[in-house]
Structures are given as structure tokens and as C-alpha cells.
Amino acid sequence: MSNWLIRYSEADVQSFTTSRSNETRFWQSISYLDQSAPLNSALKDAAEFGIRYVLLGINEDIGPRANCGRGGATQGWQAFLKRFLNLPCNEFLDPKSVLLLGEVNCDDLQTLGNTLDNTRPKDLAQLRSLCGELDERVAEVLKSVFDAGLEAIVIGGGHNNCYPILKALSTSEAKPCNAINFDPHADFRAIEGRHSGNGFHYAYQDGYLHDYHVVGMHEQKNNQTIISSLTNAGFTYTTYQTLQVMRSRSLTSDCTHSLARFKIDKPLGIEVDVDAISGMPVSAFTNCGFSVSDAEHFVYLGATHSASRYLHLCEAAPATHPNGLEQGITEAGQVLSGLVCSYLLGKQQG
């Protein structure tokens, strides 16, 4: 049993749910894990009874702050639940194969991180150490999910969590993973202590990442050291400028071409940093990004790949919305839910 998982029951999410007559909502169709059984056996039992996807939240902004960025990525999971759980089941989508597992227990790390100032070198070093501790917790929980043959849908926190997800999947499968990332940043910064800007670099260094492609990497948001390190590793990217400014290649053709090179003998991760989306309340706000429907299309295409094993949605920060937290929760919840539904739709079509 994992010490780092807070399991949910239906009672734990009642505050997020509403009901309506003559309508079945997602929260009434999804499954919850047996609270008493050991985690590994409970997940395997769930898989035998038809569960295929596992929802897991991470409430932290340690990684973005350890990357010298701003906080706020602690409420994406709650925003998602408030919207997703109340969507109506219908002939297009019914989440009967989805399990709402719970969240990674990182409150103690987050509380300590809140006392640290990332403009002070000693505090920054401590934030990076906390991020390393978080890695171990996330990897432990997710390895149990992957060991049970289930797919993970991980929501919340910073993009630092790509590293423990890849570690868990690679360890479970006993082989390195592939990943495709919708992101203005390559997240291939220096090996300088863990943070949200170097998760893929650490995964590559530690042997968990085999092949990697970045869709929509912004030419002005990555320094030359990052680009050179990415290229030297044999990894690739298509820039935002290629897709949206010059428009010499379409998003569909780029994703289709990139996904085709990922062989089915290695598991594939679908990664979305939602700061790729224009106007999204995130840790690093942008007006120079993609539309929500572009992001949904990326996720849908990734989900149709037969080797895809997880979806990771990170960096949503509802409190950063210019009109306040309530509006931020509404908008972030709608976008995150749309992305998850796109993943499930792609799986139906794949």
C-alpha cells in the first residue's frame, strides 16, 4: 500500500457534485477504489472488472517555484473535478471505465515550500530538494497504476511531474518511454536540481526517456543551451512560429508525422502544459499560444496511438486569472475537462 496516496470515495467529492432529474452525470458513472484493500491488489481487481483509466491529482506548485517561476498550480485538480464530475453521460461518452483514484499526498511538502522564497539561493535549493521528494511520491503511486495495466490521467501541479510519471511507467514496463509534449517550453533545462523546467532532461539522463518531440515550442522562450541539449540528445521539436506564424506546417500533419515515428514496442506519454493555450490561467500566462480546440486535437491524436499509456495535464493556476479565483476555476475546469474528454474520445476511436 502506498503511503503517498489519498484515496477518494464518493463522499469525498460530494462538495463538487450536483444532480439533475432525468440525467446521469459523470460522478454517478465513474468508479471509486475499494478503501480497505491494499492498493496494488485493488487496482488489479479494478482492471479485471473493466476499469481502464485512472484519474489522479497532484496539488503542488513546488516545481514551478523551484524553476524560479510563480506559484498557483495547486488548484487545477479541484477546478477539473468541479467541472468534469458534473458532465452528463450520453451516447457520445460515458466514463464507466474511469476510476477516480484520488490525489498524491504532498500537503507537508507544499506547506514547507510555501515558507520559501525562490529569489534566495538557499531557499531555491531547498525547493529543488522538495521537488525531488515529490518525485518519489508521485512515482510510487503511479507505478502501482501502471503495474495493474491501467492508463493514468494525471492532473495538476507543475510540469516537473513528467519525470516521476515517466520513471514509473519505464520502471513498470522495464523499458524507456517515448513522449510527445504540447508546450512552448522544451523543459530540457540544465541538470541543476529538480524543477518544472528540466523533467524531460532528467528522465533522459536517468534512462527513462527514449524518444521525445515537442509540439509548438516557442522560439523566444527557450535559450540556446536548451535547444542544443535537446538536439544533442537526438530529440526534435516543431516551433510555434512554424505552426502558427509561418504556417508552413499544420498542427494535424505535424502531430500525425511525429506520432508515426513512435514505435509500439515502447510506451508513449501524452504531455500537455496548458500554458501553451492562449489566455489560460496558468503559471506562465501567454497571449501568444494555441486555441483550446488545438490542444484538444493534439490530445485526441495522441490518444489514438496504440502505445499511449497516459495523459498529463499540468500548470493550470486558477488563482492567476485576472478576474479572480472563481472565474479561473470555471475556465480552467472547462479546459481541463475538455482535454480529458478528448483523450477518452481518442481512445474510443483508436
Short mmCIF file of all heavy atoms in Angstrom, two decimals, residues 1-2 5-13 31-43 45-46 55 99-103:
data_model
loop_
_atom_site.label_atom_id
_atom_site.label_comp_id
_atom_site.label_asym_id
_atom_site.label_seq_id
_atom_site.Cartn_x
_atom_site.Cartn_y
_atom_site.Cartn_z
N MET A 1 0.85 -1.20 0.00
CA MET A 1 0.00 0.00 0.00
C MET A 1 0.87 1.24 0.00
O MET A 1 1.84 1.34 0.74
CB MET A 1 -0.93 0.02 1.20
CG MET A 1 -1.80 1.29 1.30
SD MET A 1 -2.90 1.27 2.72
CE MET A 1 -4.06 0.01 2.25
N SER A 2 0.55 2.22 -0.86
CA SER A 2 1.33 3.45 -0.92
C SER A 2 1.01 4.34 0.27
O SER A 2 -0.14 4.51 0.66
CB SER A 2 1.02 4.20 -2.21
OG SER A 2 1.65 5.47 -2.20
N LEU A 5 -0.70 8.15 -1.15
CA LEU A 5 -1.96 8.30 -1.88
C LEU A 5 -3.09 8.61 -0.91
O LEU A 5 -3.28 7.91 0.09
CB LEU A 5 -2.29 7.01 -2.64
CG LEU A 5 -3.65 6.99 -3.33
CD1 LEU A 5 -3.72 8.02 -4.45
CD2 LEU A 5 -3.95 5.59 -3.88
N ILE A 6 -3.86 9.64 -1.23
CA ILE A 6 -5.12 9.92 -0.54
C ILE A 6 -6.23 9.38 -1.43
O ILE A 6 -6.54 9.94 -2.48
CB ILE A 6 -5.30 11.43 -0.30
CG1 ILE A 6 -4.17 11.99 0.55
CG2 ILE A 6 -6.65 11.70 0.37
CD1 ILE A 6 -4.19 13.50 0.70
N ARG A 7 -6.79 8.24 -1.04
CA ARG A 7 -7.84 7.62 -1.85
C ARG A 7 -9.16 8.37 -1.68
O ARG A 7 -9.50 8.81 -0.59
CB ARG A 7 -8.06 6.17 -1.43
CG ARG A 7 -6.88 5.26 -1.62
CD ARG A 7 -7.35 3.81 -1.50
NE ARG A 7 -6.27 2.93 -1.12
CZ ARG A 7 -6.36 1.61 -1.12
NH1 ARG A 7 -7.50 1.03 -1.43
NH2 ARG A 7 -5.34 0.86 -0.75
N TYR A 8 -9.90 8.46 -2.76
CA TYR A 8 -11.20 9.10 -2.72
C TYR A 8 -12.31 8.05 -2.68
O TYR A 8 -12.22 6.99 -3.30
CB TYR A 8 -11.42 9.95 -3.96
CG TYR A 8 -10.69 11.27 -4.01
CD1 TYR A 8 -9.85 11.69 -2.97
CD2 TYR A 8 -10.84 12.12 -5.10
CE1 TYR A 8 -9.19 12.90 -3.04
CE2 TYR A 8 -10.17 13.33 -5.17
CZ TYR A 8 -9.35 13.72 -4.14
OH TYR A 8 -8.70 14.92 -4.21
N SER A 9 -13.36 8.42 -1.96
CA SER A 9 -14.64 7.73 -2.06
C SER A 9 -15.64 8.72 -2.65
O SER A 9 -15.33 9.91 -2.80
CB SER A 9 -15.12 7.27 -0.68
OG SER A 9 -15.41 8.39 0.13
N GLU A 10 -16.82 8.25 -2.95
CA GLU A 10 -17.83 9.17 -3.49
C GLU A 10 -18.12 10.30 -2.51
O GLU A 10 -18.35 11.44 -2.91
CB GLU A 10 -19.11 8.40 -3.82
CG GLU A 10 -20.15 9.23 -4.54
CD GLU A 10 -21.35 8.41 -5.00
OE1 GLU A 10 -21.13 7.29 -5.51
OE2 GLU A 10 -22.48 8.90 -4.84
N ALA A 11 -18.06 10.00 -1.23
CA ALA A 11 -18.33 11.03 -0.22
C ALA A 11 -17.30 12.15 -0.25
O ALA A 11 -17.60 13.31 0.06
CB ALA A 11 -18.35 10.39 1.17
N ASP A 12 -16.07 11.84 -0.66
CA ASP A 12 -15.01 12.84 -0.67
C ASP A 12 -15.20 13.89 -1.75
O ASP A 12 -14.59 14.97 -1.67
CB ASP A 12 -13.65 12.16 -0.88
CG ASP A 12 -13.24 11.30 0.30
OD1 ASP A 12 -13.44 11.74 1.45
OD2 ASP A 12 -12.74 10.18 0.08
N VAL A 13 -16.01 13.61 -2.77
CA VAL A 13 -16.18 14.58 -3.85
C VAL A 13 -17.60 15.14 -3.90
O VAL A 13 -17.96 15.85 -4.85
CB VAL A 13 -15.82 13.94 -5.21
CG1 VAL A 13 -14.34 13.57 -5.24
CG2 VAL A 13 -16.68 12.75 -5.54
N SER A 31 -16.02 5.05 -11.24
CA SER A 31 -15.81 4.13 -10.13
C SER A 31 -14.86 4.70 -9.10
O SER A 31 -14.09 5.63 -9.38
CB SER A 31 -15.25 2.80 -10.66
OG SER A 31 -16.16 2.18 -11.54
N TYR A 32 -14.91 4.13 -7.91
CA TYR A 32 -14.01 4.51 -6.82
C TYR A 32 -13.35 3.23 -6.30
O TYR A 32 -13.93 2.14 -6.39
CB TYR A 32 -14.78 5.21 -5.70
CG TYR A 32 -15.51 6.44 -6.17
CD1 TYR A 32 -16.79 6.34 -6.73
CD2 TYR A 32 -14.93 7.70 -6.08
CE1 TYR A 32 -17.47 7.47 -7.19
CE2 TYR A 32 -15.60 8.83 -6.54
CZ TYR A 32 -16.87 8.71 -7.09
OH TYR A 32 -17.52 9.82 -7.55
N LEU A 33 -12.17 3.37 -5.75
CA LEU A 33 -11.40 2.21 -5.34
C LEU A 33 -11.86 1.70 -3.98
O LEU A 33 -12.26 2.48 -3.11
CB LEU A 33 -9.91 2.58 -5.27
CG LEU A 33 -8.92 1.41 -5.36
CD1 LEU A 33 -9.01 0.75 -6.72
CD2 LEU A 33 -7.50 1.93 -5.13
N ASP A 34 -11.78 0.39 -3.81
CA ASP A 34 -12.04 -0.23 -2.51
C ASP A 34 -11.10 0.40 -1.48
O ASP A 34 -9.88 0.37 -1.62
CB ASP A 34 -11.78 -1.73 -2.63
CG ASP A 34 -12.09 -2.49 -1.35
OD1 ASP A 34 -12.19 -1.86 -0.27
OD2 ASP A 34 -12.20 -3.73 -1.41
N GLN A 35 -11.67 0.99 -0.44
CA GLN A 35 -10.88 1.72 0.56
C GLN A 35 -10.07 0.79 1.46
O GLN A 35 -9.06 1.20 2.02
CB GLN A 35 -11.80 2.58 1.42
CG GLN A 35 -12.53 3.68 0.66
CD GLN A 35 -11.60 4.81 0.27
OE1 GLN A 35 -10.89 5.37 1.09
NE2 GLN A 35 -11.61 5.15 -1.01
N SER A 36 -10.51 -0.43 1.60
CA SER A 36 -9.88 -1.31 2.58
C SER A 36 -8.79 -2.21 2.00
O SER A 36 -7.90 -2.65 2.72
CB SER A 36 -10.95 -2.20 3.24
OG SER A 36 -11.62 -2.99 2.26
N ALA A 37 -8.85 -2.48 0.70
CA ALA A 37 -7.91 -3.42 0.09
C ALA A 37 -6.56 -2.76 -0.16
O ALA A 37 -6.48 -1.55 -0.40
CB ALA A 37 -8.47 -3.94 -1.22
N PRO A 38 -5.47 -3.51 -0.13
CA PRO A 38 -4.16 -2.98 -0.50
C PRO A 38 -4.20 -2.39 -1.90
O PRO A 38 -4.93 -2.90 -2.78
CB PRO A 38 -3.24 -4.20 -0.44
CG PRO A 38 -3.92 -5.13 0.51
CD PRO A 38 -5.39 -4.92 0.29
N LEU A 39 -3.46 -1.32 -2.11
CA LEU A 39 -3.55 -0.57 -3.37
C LEU A 39 -3.30 -1.45 -4.59
O LEU A 39 -4.09 -1.43 -5.54
CB LEU A 39 -2.56 0.60 -3.34
CG LEU A 39 -2.53 1.46 -4.61
CD1 LEU A 39 -3.87 2.11 -4.87
CD2 LEU A 39 -1.44 2.52 -4.51
N ASN A 40 -2.22 -2.20 -4.58
CA ASN A 40 -1.87 -2.97 -5.77
C ASN A 40 -2.96 -3.97 -6.14
O ASN A 40 -3.34 -4.09 -7.31
CB ASN A 40 -0.54 -3.70 -5.55
CG ASN A 40 0.64 -2.75 -5.51
OD1 ASN A 40 0.54 -1.60 -5.93
ND2 ASN A 40 1.75 -3.22 -4.98
N SER A 41 -3.46 -4.71 -5.16
CA SER A 41 -4.50 -5.70 -5.45
C SER A 41 -5.82 -5.04 -5.83
O SER A 41 -6.55 -5.54 -6.69
CB SER A 41 -4.69 -6.64 -4.26
OG SER A 41 -5.08 -5.92 -3.10
N ALA A 42 -6.14 -3.91 -5.20
CA ALA A 42 -7.38 -3.20 -5.52
C ALA A 42 -7.36 -2.69 -6.96
O ALA A 42 -8.37 -2.76 -7.67
CB ALA A 42 -7.59 -2.04 -4.55
N LEU A 43 -6.20 -2.18 -7.41
CA LEU A 43 -6.09 -1.70 -8.78
C LEU A 43 -6.19 -2.84 -9.78
O LEU A 43 -6.83 -2.72 -10.82
CB LEU A 43 -4.77 -0.94 -8.96
CG LEU A 43 -4.69 0.44 -8.31
CD1 LEU A 43 -3.26 0.96 -8.33
CD2 LEU A 43 -5.63 1.43 -9.01
N ASP A 45 -7.77 -5.65 -9.29
CA ASP A 45 -9.18 -6.07 -9.29
C ASP A 45 -10.02 -5.12 -10.15
O ASP A 45 -10.91 -5.56 -10.90
CB ASP A 45 -9.73 -6.08 -7.87
CG ASP A 45 -9.19 -7.24 -7.05
OD1 ASP A 45 -8.63 -8.18 -7.64
OD2 ASP A 45 -9.32 -7.19 -5.81
N ALA A 46 -9.74 -3.81 -10.04
CA ALA A 46 -10.47 -2.82 -10.83
C ALA A 46 -10.27 -3.07 -12.32
O ALA A 46 -11.22 -2.99 -13.11
CB ALA A 46 -10.02 -1.40 -10.46
N LEU A 55 -7.86 8.40 -12.77
CA LEU A 55 -7.67 9.83 -12.56
C LEU A 55 -6.91 10.07 -11.26
O LEU A 55 -7.29 9.55 -10.20
CB LEU A 55 -9.03 10.54 -12.46
CG LEU A 55 -9.85 10.66 -13.75
CD1 LEU A 55 -11.26 11.11 -13.42
CD2 LEU A 55 -9.19 11.65 -14.71
N LEU A 99 -11.72 5.30 -13.28
CA LEU A 99 -11.63 5.22 -11.82
C LEU A 99 -11.10 6.53 -11.27
O LEU A 99 -10.05 7.01 -11.72
CB LEU A 99 -10.69 4.08 -11.42
CG LEU A 99 -10.31 3.97 -9.94
CD1 LEU A 99 -11.49 3.43 -9.14
CD2 LEU A 99 -9.10 3.07 -9.76
N LEU A 100 -11.80 7.12 -10.33
CA LEU A 100 -11.30 8.31 -9.64
C LEU A 100 -10.49 7.84 -8.43
O LEU A 100 -11.05 7.48 -7.40
CB LEU A 100 -12.46 9.21 -9.20
CG LEU A 100 -12.09 10.49 -8.46
CD1 LEU A 100 -11.08 11.33 -9.23
CD2 LEU A 100 -13.35 11.32 -8.17
N LEU A 101 -9.18 7.82 -8.58
CA LEU A 101 -8.32 7.24 -7.55
C LEU A 101 -8.14 8.16 -6.36
O LEU A 101 -8.28 7.75 -5.21
CB LEU A 101 -6.95 6.90 -8.16
CG LEU A 101 -5.92 6.27 -7.23
CD1 LEU A 101 -6.46 4.99 -6.60
CD2 LEU A 101 -4.63 5.99 -7.99
N GLY A 102 -7.79 9.42 -6.60
CA GLY A 102 -7.55 10.35 -5.50
C GLY A 102 -6.43 11.30 -5.84
O GLY A 102 -6.27 11.69 -7.00
N GLU A 103 -5.63 11.66 -4.85
CA GLU A 103 -4.55 12.61 -5.07
C GLU A 103 -3.28 12.17 -4.34
O GLU A 103 -3.34 11.42 -3.36
CB GLU A 103 -4.95 14.00 -4.59
CG GLU A 103 -5.22 14.09 -3.10
CD GLU A 103 -5.72 15.47 -2.67
OE1 GLU A 103 -6.93 15.75 -2.85
OE2 GLU A 103 -4.90 16.24 -2.15
#
